[in-house]
Amino acid sequence: MANTKSAEKRYRQSLKRRARNVNVRSSVKDAVKSAREAIASKDGTKTTDALKAASKTLNKAASKGVLHKRTASRRISRLAKAAAKKSA
């Protein structure tokens, strides 16, 4: 356990950050999963909407520092590539 006042505060902050990061990661996973399902369904408008939502969620996670910006970019790229492959 933390011995100093500042260490106790840092611990509390880390718990808050972890809870926030877990929530953001979960929402990213949900968005990507729904995008993959939409791609698999081959419904054009549904795929477009899901892809847009997933990329927005990934970009937001990257801007918050939950995901690295290149990781988010790579995932968006792969989703878009999969969508283009299925629609063609």
Side-chain angles (χ1 to χ4, degrees), residues 36-60:
R36 289 193 193 284
E37 288 171 354
I39 291 167
S41 74
K42 298 181 181 179
D43 183 14
T45 55
K46 191 176 175 184
T47 301
T48 309
D49 293 340
L51 196 61
K52 198 179 286 187
S55 63
K56 184 178 179 181
T57 309
L58 282 161
N59 280 329
K60 198 170 236 185

Side-chain angles (χ1 to χ4, degrees), residues 23-87:
N23 191 16
V24 171
R25 275 197 196 98
S26 176
S27 64
V28 165
K29 285 180 187 178
D30 288 343
V32 169
K33 185 177 179 182
S34 66
R36 289 193 193 284
E37 288 171 354
I39 291 167
S41 74
K42 298 181 181 179
D43 183 14
T45 55
K46 191 176 175 184
T47 301
T48 309
D49 293 340
L51 196 61
K52 198 179 286 187
S55 63
K56 184 178 179 181
T57 309
L58 282 161
N59 280 329
K60 198 170 236 185
S63 72
K64 300 287 182 190
V66 177
L67 292 177
H68 193 275
K69 65 178 184 176
R70 288 191 187 122
T71 302
S73 179
R74 182 180 66 245
R75 289 185 185 179
I76 292 167
S77 175
R78 286 179 181 170
L79 282 172
K81 189 177 177 183
K85 187 177 181 181
K86 287 285 185 174
S87 67

